[in-house]
Amino acid sequence: MDKFPRVHRLPPYVFAKVNELKMQMRHEGADIIDLGMGNPDLPTPQHIVDKLVEASQKPANHRYSASRGIKGLRREMALWYKRRFGVELDYDQEVVVTMGAKEGLAHLALVMLSPGDVVFAPDPSYPIHPYASIIAGADVRRVPIGADRDFFEDLELAMRQTWPRPKLLIINYPHNPTGLTAEIPFFEKIVDFAKDNDLLVIHDLAYADFTFDGYEAPSFLQARGAKDVGVEFFSLSKSYSMPGWRVGFCCGNREMVQALTRIKSYLDYGLFQPIQIAACHALSGPQDCVREIMDIYQDRRDALCEGLQRIGWDVTPPKATQFLWAPIPEQFKKMGSVEFSKLLLKECKVAVAPGLGFGTYGDDHVRMALVENRQRINQAIRGMKDLFAKG
């Protein structure tokens, strides 16, 4: 691997230790309740699937498509932003379709960054947020994030201690894995900070619709001046339960969108066109399916949080995302997140994601994904109850 410098810069995959144990136990016949990976289990709404089937019957749709996405899909994304957030987007210059937000974010980092550039990313964070920049050859400075911290104080401290000055800030609200949320004034402070420090901003809005208890997640692009400094990624993976379809968007700052559009023209021919046509139907068609999906996840959140609290695990129900960011109980805290995750797997047959996999500041937490039904969640609670009783 030393011959491949971009691979060599990537650290060992923290989740691998837990995943290997999980696969070994499954091979031995264990029934594992898997709350580890945030892989949506609910089916894609039928009207979207029907449109895919219809479009795939037409041979003209089997040809190469457009690397930046068909015009109709870019237009529907712009209309979605207008309806949803009141944000005006030029679908020809300020919207590009990506193969999921992850691919788009990685390629945008590749086109923006050079070796020696510095990027600010939260810690903990979803791995692609820092590692897209690392793969591109940049250096990442991790900024702590948490319910008990002031992000702007930590950001200012990082700025004072960093040279050369950072080029890019990557943020994500609602936040994976912590579930932290933001409001428009927060984003306006981000815009002001970016302008004051000559920074560009990437915001990941993957969980725009994954909101509970009346909370509504704003768009970064709603903040005044946001398009001057940054872009936002959104995908259909979570909102429409379309993770395997790989439909995402980068929207906002014209220069950043066009840079991503340009590099994609060299790298791919775009998504299979019937998928893009079905994605248009998802955005423009009935939207009640989105709330129905979210109601199921809210019920799962309630079942998980209420069950954990019953057995003595003090957790706070998240207002957003499909995850619970759970502090490791005091009696197990000294183990750290990897060993505690392995303990839950061995003793309770419950798989969770160790917080260390999201950054060093996450090592006192584990992340649980709401990807099992209520019955299986209750089964997981029963399995953990005995472990907590033993202490």
Side-chain angles (χ1 to χ4, degrees):
M1 287 296 184
D2 289 351
K3 297 177 183 177
F4 310 122
R6 296 191 193 281
V7 175
H8 186 58
R9 294 195 78 207
L10 297 175
Y13 191 57
V14 172
F15 302 113
K17 296 179 182 178
V18 178
N19 288 341
E20 286 169 11
L21 178 59
K22 177 174 68 179
M23 296 311 296
Q24 176 190 330
M25 291 177 65
R26 278 185 168 159
H27 184 69
E28 293 168 355
D31 177 21
I32 305 297
I33 300 169
D34 195 349
L35 308 178
M37 184 179 177
N39 190 359
D41 63 313
L42 299 178
T44 304
Q46 191 59 46
H47 67 281
I48 302 172
V49 177
D50 291 343
K51 180 58 72 171
L52 170 67
V53 172
E54 176 190 318
S56 67
Q57 301 294 334
K58 299 177 181 178
N61 288 331
H62 298 180
R63 305 178 69 184
Y64 288 129
S65 189
S67 62
R68 64 176 180 161
I70 60 174
K71 182 171 73 172
L73 183 52
R74 287 182 282 113
R75 183 176 60 237
E76 288 301 338
M77 184 78 270
L79 290 171
W80 183 86
Y81 261 95
K82 176 64 176 174
R83 289 193 306 270
R84 182 68 178 274
F85 302 117
V87 171
E88 298 276 1
L89 290 170
D90 177 345
Y91 70 82
D92 198 47
Q93 298 293 315
E94 296 175 338
V95 180
V96 60
V97 180
T98 61
M99 295 178 181
K102 197 172 181 180
E103 172 271 320
L105 204 152
H107 281 144
L108 182 56
L110 188 63
V111 76
M112 287 178 62
L113 302 171
S114 301
D117 285 340
V118 176
V119 175
F120 282 175
D123 186 340
S125 67
Y126 182 55
I128 194 61
H129 294 157
Y131 292 120
S133 302
I134 289 170
I135 291 168
D139 298 316
V140 174
R141 170 70 189 269
R142 306 295 291 262
V143 181
I145 189 172
D148 58 343
R149 305 191 70 102
D150 184 318
F151 184 64
F152 287 97
E153 283 185 9
D154 289 322
L155 206 51
E156 292 282 3
L157 178 61
M159 184 63 73
R160 290 196 299 271
Q161 295 177 340
T162 301
W163 189 263
R165 310 301 276 175
K167 183 175 184 177
L168 176 65
L169 169 65
I170 300 175
I171 54 174
N172 161 221
Y173 292 94
H175 185 255
N176 177 12
T178 69
L180 291 173
T181 58
E183 302 291 353
I184 293 174
F186 177 90
F187 288 141
E188 290 177 341
K189 285 183 72 174
I190 291 286
V191 172
D192 292 341
F193 183 87
K195 289 184 175 182
D196 289 344
N197 293 282
D198 197 24
L199 270 174
L200 295 172
V201 179
I202 294 175
H203 179 241
D204 185 353
L205 187 60
Y207 296 94
D209 292 296
F210 259 79
T211 58
F212 314 123
D213 304 327
Y215 172 70
E216 294 184 7
S219 163
F220 170 70
L221 299 180
Q222 286 177 275
R224 60 178 181 274
K227 283 202 288 184
D228 297 337
V229 297
V231 293
E232 184 164 77
F233 281 90
F234 174 70
S235 85
L236 305 192
S237 297
K238 307 301 192 299
S239 298
Y240 298 89
S241 204
M242 296 169 63
W245 298 53
R246 310 311 303 135
V247 185
F249 305 87
C250 176
C251 306
N253 180 270
R254 187 167 301 211
E255 288 73 24
M256 294 170 74
V257 169
Q258 289 307 304
L260 178 55
T261 301
R262 178 91 186 273
I263 198 171
K264 281 177 63 63
S265 72
Y266 284 88
L267 296 174
D268 69 71
Y269 284 112
L271 292 162
F272 184 43
Q273 192 150 294
I275 290 179
Q276 297 192 60
I277 293 168
C280 291
H281 195 54
L283 291 168
S284 64
Q287 298 299 298
D288 53 341
C289 59
V290 177
R291 193 63 254 170
E292 289 168 5
I293 290 169
M294 297 311 134
D295 286 345
I296 292 171
Y297 282 105
Q298 179 158 347
D299 181 65
R300 293 175 177 185
R301 181 208 64 167
D302 294 344
L304 181 59
C305 292
E306 289 165 8
L308 291 175
Q309 288 162 348
R310 261 196 325 271
I311 65 173
W313 192 339
D314 187 21
V315 297
T316 301
K319 288 197 299 182
T321 79
Q322 67 174 141
F323 306 108
L324 171 63
W325 185 238
I328 299 174
E330 197 60 43
Q331 63 267 44
F332 303 108
K333 192 159 285 188
K334 64 184 179 202
M335 300 178 72
S337 60
V338 175
E339 291 305 312
F340 179 62
S341 297
K342 289 163 70 174
L343 178 68
L344 288 178
L345 197 49
K346 290 175 185 174
E347 297 292 326
C348 313
K349 296 184 174 58
V350 176
V352 300
L356 184 62
F358 304 97
T360 55
Y361 285 93
D363 198 24
D364 56 356
H365 283 70
V366 293
R367 193 194 72 176
M368 301 182 190
L370 306 174
V371 292
E372 294 273 13
N373 62 38
R374 179 177 269 267
Q375 180 182 347
R376 295 279 285 171
I377 288 171
N378 288 334
Q379 183 181 336
I381 299 297
R382 289 194 295 273
M384 289 187 278
K385 181 179 179 180
D386 292 338
L387 178 65
F388 275 69
K390 288 189 282 187

